[in-house]
Amino acid sequence: MAKKDSMSIMNEFKNAPQKEKIESERKLKVAIIGTGWIADAHINRYKEMSDVEVVALADLVPGKAEKFAEKWEITGARCYLSHKELLDAETDLDAVSVCTYNRQHAPCTIYALEHGVNVLLEKPMCVTMEEAVDICKAEKKSGKILSIGFQ
């Protein structure tokens, strides 16, 4: 078998067919916890997905979640001042993006998993080994999906 040169490999990628958009009758209900700058990347992608609806936002800074919703034209999203308020109130979420500052990754993620919600956790996963162990235990116990946003 002949070895391909790098240009022919690159051309395969350029000419690869585009993925088809997924159409679904049911939209996944997603919330974003933490509406700082990294949340912009999450909402930007969610808005491209026809089968995802961002239904709730949480941020510790009063008015910040509402401003985020307005900036990104997320109509109807409910806004909360904490991850606990959001997860206690929103009982039919499919997933959350945890976009808080690093020291709050573990508490938000563990609380979401304990509430039966899948989690997309922004990097870094957490700040201590003990938090990492606690997060992994919560994931196993919940049976839900935990994905760490390392690209």
Side-chain angles (χ1 to χ4, degrees), residues 49-97:
M49 299 175 190
S50 61
D51 59 343
V52 171
E53 179 183 12
V54 176
V55 297
L57 305 164
D59 201 287
L60 296 173
V61 177
K64 191 172 179 187
E66 290 84 354
K67 196 169 197 170
F68 184 87
E70 185 179 320
K71 171 185 173 182
W72 286 98
E73 299 176 349
I74 309 168
T75 55
R78 293 165 295 282
C79 297
Y80 301 91
L81 287 173
S82 76
H83 69 282
K84 288 184 177 181
E85 278 184 33
L86 185 151
L87 289 161
D88 289 345
E90 301 290 333
T91 58
D92 62 345
L93 288 175
D94 295 297
V96 295
S97 279

Side-chain angles (χ1 to χ4, degrees), residues 1 33-34 41 43 53 62 84 95 99 106 115 127 137 139 145 151:
M1 183 173 192
I33 299 171
I43 191 64
E53 179 183 12
K84 288 184 177 181
C99 301
H115 280 71
V127 295
K137 284 180 181 177
E139 177 195 21
I145 297 169
Q151 291 81 23

